[in-house]
């Protein structure tokens, strides 16, 4: 019995023992784990540093972005200020140029002033058309320029082409009024106004004795200046027939502005 107990005790003691080989293996594993933990700690430290740097970078970018926004805001203010100063200068230049129309020689443009059968705005059609003919470039740089600035016609291709054409055009003699041509124009303007017709086809009651004719309709067809400018721009006619007629070498003209059934006013200009 004692022998059996001794054998069991020895067996248990041996099962709890670790061999030298196993001990060395275990120690190596523990060393590897320690080394790996050390590397992980170093990597963790590196990542913390990277995160810190990125946070600093984000803060820097935010700061730069704020500064950039301020710069953009200042730049916009500077641009707006420059635009206002340029606009003011342009207006001053325009006003300076317009003063030139007060020169005595341009009184010759008022060829219809004494024609009492014409309304004031009908007389103004002669006046402004004659200003175009007497000094095309100055008209472009004053009346036409202001009209384009104050309307939707600033970027209209026809208005720009008119501006360029007048800038390079030679002066022409003023056109004179003709009572007979006025009668032709008046008859057509009155009859067209009654029916709301737009165009050049005449009723039998209206005589035709002109070489060229321009018609314009609308609420602003009662302003002599706007009538002349709109017909010269000729935005609805690709052939520019109205512009060509008004800037041709015709010597006489008749103008009639009448009420129009569908367009408030209609104007008929007959030339010969």
């Amino acid at each position: 019995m004692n022998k059996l107990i001794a054998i069991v005790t020895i067996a248990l003691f041996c099962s709890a023992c670790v061999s030298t080989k196993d001990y060395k293996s275990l120690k190596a594993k523990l060393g590897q784990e320690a080394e790996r933990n050390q590397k992980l700690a170093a990597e963790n430290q590196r990542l913390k540093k990277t995160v810190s740097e990125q946070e600093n970078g984000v803060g820097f970018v935010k700061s730069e972005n704020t500064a950039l926004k301020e710069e953009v805001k200042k730049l916009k203010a500077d641009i707006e200020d420059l635009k206002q100063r340029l606009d003011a200068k342009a207006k001053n230049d325009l006003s300076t140029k317009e003063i030139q129309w007060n020169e005595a020689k341009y009184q010759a443009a008022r060829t219809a002033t004494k024609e009492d059968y014409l309304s004031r705005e009908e007389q103004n059609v002669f006046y402004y058309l004659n200003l175009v003919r007497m000094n095309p470039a100055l008209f472009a740089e004053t009346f036409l320029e202001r009209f384009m600035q104050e309307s939707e016609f600033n970027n209209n291709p026809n208005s720009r082409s008119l501006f360029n054409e007048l800038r390079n055009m030679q002066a022409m003699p003023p056109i004179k009024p003709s009572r007979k041509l006025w009668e032709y124009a008046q008859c057509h303007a009155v009859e067209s106004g009654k029916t709301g017709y737009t165009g050049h086809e005449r009723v039998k009651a209206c005589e035709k004795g002109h070489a060229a004719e321009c018609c314009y309709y609308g609420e602003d067809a009662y302003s002599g200046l706007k009538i002349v400018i709109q017909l010269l721009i000729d935005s609805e006619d690709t052939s520019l027939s109205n512009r060509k007629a008004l800037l041709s070498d015709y010597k006489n003209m008749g103008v009639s502005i009448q009420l129009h059934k569908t367009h408030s006013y209609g104007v008929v200009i007959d030339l010969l």
Side-chain angles (χ1 to χ4, degrees):
M1 183 67 177
N2 291 333
K3 187 178 181 180
L4 178 60
I5 292 172
I7 294 170
V8 171
T9 300
I10 292 169
L12 290 172
F13 176 79
C14 290
S15 66
C17 292
V18 177
S19 67
T20 301
K21 182 180 179 181
D22 290 339
Y23 172 76
K24 289 181 178 180
S25 176
L26 181 59
K27 186 177 181 180
K29 288 181 179 180
L30 289 174
Q32 291 173 355
E33 286 295 322
E35 185 179 354
R36 189 173 70 170
N37 288 337
Q38 188 177 5
K39 289 181 178 180
L40 288 174
E43 180 66 15
N44 186 46
Q45 190 64 28
R46 187 186 67 78
L47 289 175
K48 284 183 178 180
K49 183 178 180 182
T50 301
V51 170
S52 178
E53 290 174 348
Q54 289 178 345
E55 288 176 346
N56 290 336
V58 169
F60 175 77
V61 170
K62 287 182 178 179
S63 177
E64 286 292 301
N65 191 38
T66 300
L68 182 61
K69 285 182 178 179
E70 288 299 319
E71 286 293 323
V72 170
K73 184 178 179 181
K74 183 177 181 300
L75 183 60
K76 286 183 177 180
D78 290 343
I79 291 173
E80 183 60 29
D81 180 63
L82 178 60
K83 182 178 180 298
Q84 289 178 359
R85 285 190 283 114
L86 289 174
D87 288 345
K89 183 179 183 301
K91 288 179 180 179
N92 288 335
D93 291 345
L94 186 58
S95 297
T96 301
K97 289 178 181 178
E98 286 176 335
I99 292 174
Q100 296 180 53
W101 292 120
N102 293 330
E103 295 178 17
K105 63 182 178 181
Y106 293 115
Q107 290 302 308
R110 300 185 182 278
T111 56
T113 302
K114 296 180 180 180
E115 307 299 316
D116 56 6
Y117 57 89
L118 295 174
S119 69
R120 180 175 180 178
E121 289 306 318
E122 289 169 347
Q123 292 175 359
N124 281 338
V125 172
F126 282 89
Y127 174 63
Y128 289 111
L129 178 58
N130 284 334
L131 291 184
V132 179
R133 294 164 70 96
M134 293 175 70
N135 195 334
L138 183 58
F139 189 94
E141 294 168 359
T142 54
F143 293 111
L144 180 57
E145 180 68 29
R146 188 177 291 280
F147 177 81
M148 290 191 295
Q149 288 179 1
E150 297 174 352
S151 71
E152 72 279 8
F153 284 89
N154 196 30
N155 294 318
N156 183 287
N158 280 27
S159 63
R160 301 314 304 177
S161 73
L162 174 62
F163 186 89
N164 293 331
E165 183 176 341
L166 294 181
R167 287 285 302 274
N168 296 286
M169 178 180 158
Q170 296 297 315
M172 302 177 66
I175 199 164
K176 297 179 181 180
S178 162
R179 185 171 188 126
K180 193 63 178 176
L181 287 173
W182 168 74
E183 290 174 354
Y184 297 150
Q186 184 192 45
C187 184
H188 186 46
V190 169
E191 292 302 319
S192 296
K194 289 179 182 178
T195 61
Y197 173 75
T198 59
H200 301 283
E201 196 67 34
R202 276 167 158 69
V203 297
K204 291 182 179 180
C206 293
E207 294 183 70
K208 180 179 179 180
H210 55 275
E213 182 174 79
C214 302
C215 298
Y216 180 66
Y217 310 90
E219 292 183 1
D220 58 353
Y222 196 72
S223 164
L225 176 59
K226 289 183 178 180
I227 289 169
V228 171
I229 290 179
Q230 293 279 24
L231 286 172
L232 288 174
I233 291 175
D234 218 358
S235 58
E236 297 182 2
D237 187 351
T238 55
S239 67
L240 302 178
S241 59
N242 291 316
R243 183 189 302 183
K244 292 175 182 176
L246 294 177
L247 298 180
S248 295
D249 58 356
Y250 294 115
K251 293 178 173 57
N252 300 103
M253 184 170 75
V255 180
S256 180
I257 302 171
Q258 301 294 332
L259 293 173
H260 195 275
K261 184 177 181 180
T262 56
H263 293 283
S264 297
Y265 294 99
V267 57
V268 177
I269 298 176
D270 286 344
L271 303 108
L272 184 62

